[in-house]
Amino acid sequence: MSGSVNYKQVSFKKWQRDTQKNYTKSAQGKIHFMSITQVNAVLKKLGANFKITKLTDLIFLETKINGMTLPQGFVAHKNQLYALNIQYVDTDQTITLGRGQLFTATNGKKTGSQLSLSKLNGTWIAAATTTSANDTGKLMIKNGYVYQHRYNSFERSAIQDLNSYSLISLNQNQTYALQKANASNAGYQLTRKSVASGDSLGYLYLFINQNKLVRIGQGEVTSYSKTSTLIAANDLPQDDITIFNQMDQKNPGEAASTITVDASAPLVGMSSSIKYLTDGEAGQITSSQAIDFENGKVTVTN
């Protein structure tokens, strides 16, 4: 969530009573709660090696300000938190219910330090990502830049070695402070020792080492692994890399951030910056320039 919410523990009876208030009287008779056997079956499926003996072994919470109940019951064991959806309602249709979630405490993982940008080059895959036009689950890294394909465009962002910034300048930078908070909420640390990048959707890409990075944002942490030190031509054509570089040269003080790749003539989006960790205006398109690209050279046509 974008802001913190404080909760307090309540008894199972109060939680049960307050939960029923969310339903009409006619619907309250259709509310049921999992049995101890069902709860333990869910815990086992989530990988737990322990059992509970009564529903009151679970923790039930409500917000401190307005007393809104959280629908789950919780139990913590070592560095893991189990959130169990113990309530269900009779319906006239067959449905599949999500019975619970498992969360693992990361205890402020630190990122690797003094990573060489050249050793990050290659193809990176997020195995757990459901691929879509907006998120292919694949990143291409080349010479200090992250490239990814979204819809009909390639998007580029700069990889930043934060050690090149002074501590004072970072602490006074609101964009960095926001990304640092996002990392902390996800259990990671963004510091001057970090090597990281961002993108137009607000994600933070944090390099753990030269073969692993995590994407943090929108309430999720996604792990990427480098699967090859090479980039296939059909994933990122060399011509597009050349276009990015030449458009940078033709527009001093700006950076090419996107290339639309399915138009008859490529359309390049220029931005004031693609340093998403320290520039709040990074990636914002300041102009779109149609180009011709022949014999390895870019000619702007508008």
Side-chain angles (χ1 to χ4, degrees), residues 6 91 93 123 175 177 188 197 208 216 241 245 249 280-281:
N6 292 324
T91 69
Q93 298 176 339
T123 302
T175 302
Y188 291 85
S197 187
I208 306 304
I216 299 169
I241 296 177
N245 293 336
Q249 297 170 9
E281 296 183 356

Side-chain angles (χ1 to χ4, degrees), residues 137-186:
K138 180 183 294 185
L139 303 175
M140 287 72 69
I141 295 180
K142 183 78 171 178
N143 298 337
Y145 295 101
V146 175
Y147 300 86
Q148 54 187 309
H149 199 224
R150 283 193 171 130
Y151 297 108
N152 60 349
S153 298
F154 282 110
E155 180 179 303
R156 180 179 72 150
S157 58
I159 301 174
Q160 296 179 251
D161 182 353
L162 295 177
N163 194 45
S164 62
Y165 295 83
S166 71
L167 183 60
I168 293 177
S169 66
L170 286 178
N171 287 339
Q172 294 176 343
N173 188 291
Q174 293 183 354
T175 302
Y176 169 77
L178 178 61
Q179 290 286 21
K180 184 175 182 178
N182 290 338
S184 179
N185 289 338

Side-chain angles (χ1 to χ4, degrees), residues 25-253:
K25 287 187 177 181
S26 60
Q28 288 180 4
K30 299 181 179 181
I31 302 173
H32 304 281
F33 299 95
M34 284 198 293
S35 66
I36 301 301
T37 299
Q38 289 174 316
V39 170
N40 285 328
V42 173
L43 287 171
K44 183 178 180 180
K45 188 174 182 179
L46 292 174
N49 59 0
F50 64 91
K51 296 181 179 180
I52 66 169
T53 59
K54 52 188 181 301
L55 288 181
T56 52
D57 287 341
L58 303 176
I59 300 296
F60 299 93
L61 302 172
E62 68 176 24
T63 57
K64 281 188 175 181
I65 296 178
N66 52 19
M68 292 182 61
T69 57
L70 277 178
Q72 297 97 346
F74 297 89
V75 58
H77 182 69
K78 296 183 178 179
N79 68 328
Q80 294 182 315
L81 177 69
Y82 301 83
L84 307 176
N85 302 320
I86 67 170
Q87 174 191 292
Y88 59 97
V89 180
D90 291 338
T91 69
D92 296 328
Q93 298 176 339
T94 300
I95 60 174
T96 300
L97 299 177
R99 286 304 195 186
Q101 292 175 289
L102 172 62
F103 300 88
T104 301
T106 54
N107 299 321
K109 292 182 179 177
K110 294 184 178 180
T111 62
S113 59
Q114 298 179 342
L115 292 176
S116 170
L117 297 187
S118 63
K119 292 185 178 180
L120 304 178
N121 287 347
T123 302
W124 297 67
I125 299 294
T129 298
T130 301
T131 60
S132 65
N134 186 49
D135 186 1
T136 64
K138 180 183 294 185
L139 303 175
M140 287 72 69
I141 295 180
K142 183 78 171 178
N143 298 337
Y145 295 101
V146 175
Y147 300 86
Q148 54 187 309
H149 199 224
R150 283 193 171 130
Y151 297 108
N152 60 349
S153 298
F154 282 110
E155 180 179 303
R156 180 179 72 150
S157 58
I159 301 174
Q160 296 179 251
D161 182 353
L162 295 177
N163 194 45
S164 62
Y165 295 83
S166 71
L167 183 60
I168 293 177
S169 66
L170 286 178
N171 287 339
Q172 294 176 343
N173 188 291
Q174 293 183 354
T175 302
Y176 169 77
L178 178 61
Q179 290 286 21
K180 184 175 182 178
N182 290 338
S184 179
N185 289 338
Y188 291 85
Q189 292 183 349
L190 184 65
T191 70
R192 281 188 69 220
K193 293 183 178 180
S194 300
V195 174
S197 187
D199 69 10
S200 61
L201 299 183
Y203 284 112
L204 167 67
Y205 298 85
L206 192 58
F207 290 89
I208 306 304
N209 54 50
Q210 64 187 40
N211 294 305
K212 179 182 177 181
L213 70 85
V214 292
R215 184 185 71 182
I216 299 169
Q218 300 186 17
E220 295 182 341
V221 177
T222 303
S223 295
Y224 286 75
S225 297
K226 184 166 64 175
T227 59
S228 173
T229 57
L230 303 176
I231 299 174
N234 57 342
D235 286 334
L236 180 64
Q238 179 59 44
D239 286 351
D240 289 293
I241 296 177
T242 301
I243 291 172
F244 274 117
N245 293 336
Q246 289 191 19
M247 288 301 290
D248 287 349
Q249 297 170 9
K250 290 178 177 294
N251 296 269

